[in-house]
Amino acid sequence: MSLRRKLKGKKPPEGWELIEEVIEDFEQQLKEAVNEEHEGKRKTELTWKIHRLHWEKNRFIYDLMYQRKVMSKELFEWLVREKVADGALIAKWRKPGYEILCSMLAIQKGNHNFGTTSHCRVPLRARAKQQRITPDVQTGCISCASGDGKFGGPVWWNTPLDEEDGAKLEENRTTWGQAGAGEPGEGAGGGGGGPGPSRKRPAAELDGDDDDELPDEVRARLEALKKSTKALD
């Protein structure tokens, strides 16, 4: 169901018109990710792009509400109530140690062996060598432990890596890459995060700032998302 149909007949709070275009952009990308061709991909890889887009959409809302503080509480609560925003995930981001959590699935112990959380919650420096650059099979997240993030977000399977990270990747390459799924930054699973919202202007209008006034962390994350998409073309 499209976002417009979902919200039809419901009067949104003031400020929705300023972010509606960006949210619709994310929703369209999510829809395309769901319908994307899956030939040549492992079953678990089909959801990786969806999880990353879900994270980016909610991080956009989180940044406006808690970082830039330009979104009203009324609008935020309406977005959560209408299931446009993931209230549980955003609430976790506000707790120490969960600042860049990739997904609620990563901390649901019932979904993992031995009743533990996902290995993407373990800092890279604390992992066994063979597990260091391995993405979570459900979310595609390599690490969302505090201190491991890049560009203000988790290290995803397709996050661009610098030379130092690339050296570690070569040294610690694991079976997921050898099996033909590709390496981070080269389209593992064939699904990029998708370009970030192509229209940032509406969000900036909330406080009258230009795009240049976006926090460096937000801008870097969006640029990284676009680069990872180009690497898959």
Side-chain angles (χ1 to χ4, degrees), residues 195-215:
S198 58
R199 299 173 287 271
K200 295 266 89 63
R201 179 180 53 78
E205 288 177 357
L206 283 169
D207 60 352
D209 291 337
D210 294 324
D211 287 350
D212 291 340
E213 296 301 318
L214 280 173

Side-chain angles (χ1 to χ4, degrees), residues 73-86:
K73 182 178 180 181
E74 181 185 9
L75 176 56
F76 176 73
E77 291 179 344
W78 182 80
L79 291 172
V80 173
R81 189 166 58 250
E82 297 299 331
K83 302 188 185 317
V84 175
D86 187 336

